Amino acid sequence: RGWFQSSMLVSAVLSERLPYKMVVSHGFVLDAGKQKLSKSVQSKSVGKMPVWSDVHPDVLRVWCVMGSVESDRLWDHASLTAAQKLVQKWRNTWRFCLANMGPWSNQLPASCLDAEHWMVYSAQTQSEQVLRAFSQGAFEHGTALLQTMCNELYSAHAFSMLKDRLYCGNASERQAAQAVVTHLAYYLRACLEVVLPCTMAESDAVAPVTLGAPTLQEKAAHWD
């Protein structure tokens, strides 16, 4: 249904080739009465629903991808609140990274613990899984993976283990812990650029460190 079918048919007739490589077909946006929101039909629930212009672009973006993209979506305060909570969690995780970064280096210091090498390896692996899901149009799955990455790997494990060395360690220990945070930030940023592009753009102005060559970020950059 929609423009992608008509553009496919026209292109097939005129050039005998498809005008795109992949299409993700979104469902309709529904009002409180589960009727399609339309420019031509005024919904009776408009006064009770959130106003588009009052919603931050990143929250709206997350609202779009946190559920089944192909299904119809209910436009209401409850679903927007859920999206806001996700954005707040991811934003707070990113704030911890910003506050504890060290200078960027492609290699971790020799003083890093095995557990810290595990953190960075796990962040790389999980971020690749998130970006792969996004690139395949599996947005609901990618969002769930990103939430698990922030909750379990970053907050519950990595940050908890790093805090002692960050706040109470000697100079060498702090330097090692800051280097680990910088690498964790590198992989997290690649994922957050897909779902929170406005927040990431704003944070660039205050980030204490310019991260290295962003291989993963380049993979995510084309997802507008």
Side-chain angles (χ1 to χ4, degrees), residues 177-197:
Q178 287 174 337
V180 172
V181 173
T182 305
H183 279 256
L184 294 177
Y186 176 89
Y187 294 112
L188 179 60
R189 191 178 193 279
C191 299
L192 292 183
E193 279 188 336
V194 182
V195 288
L196 306 181

Side-chain angles (χ1 to χ4, degrees), residues 28-113:
F28 289 116
V29 179
L30 308 179
D31 62 16
K34 296 187 177 180
Q35 298 299 311
K36 182 183 71 169
L37 288 176
S38 173
K39 297 187 294 292
S40 58
V41 179
Q42 184 71 17
S43 172
K44 297 179 181 179
S45 305
V46 167
K48 302 177 183 179
M49 294 187 300
V51 180
W52 295 97
S53 58
D54 293 339
V55 182
H56 190 279
D58 284 347
V59 174
L60 182 60
R61 188 181 187 88
V62 171
W63 175 85
C64 289
V65 301
M66 64 183 293
S68 176
V69 174
E70 297 86 359
S71 302
D72 295 340
R73 300 295 306 281
L74 191 63
W75 176 250
D76 61 357
H77 291 284
S79 58
L80 273 178
T81 298
Q84 289 171 338
K85 288 181 178 179
L86 269 183
V87 171
Q88 188 65 38
K89 171 59 185 175
W90 296 340
R91 186 174 180 272
N92 287 340
T93 305
W94 179 243
R95 286 179 66 187
F96 184 92
C97 292
L98 286 178
N100 294 283
M101 286 181 182
W104 170 258
S105 173
N106 290 326
Q107 300 295 327
L108 291 174
S111 56
C112 282
L113 305 175

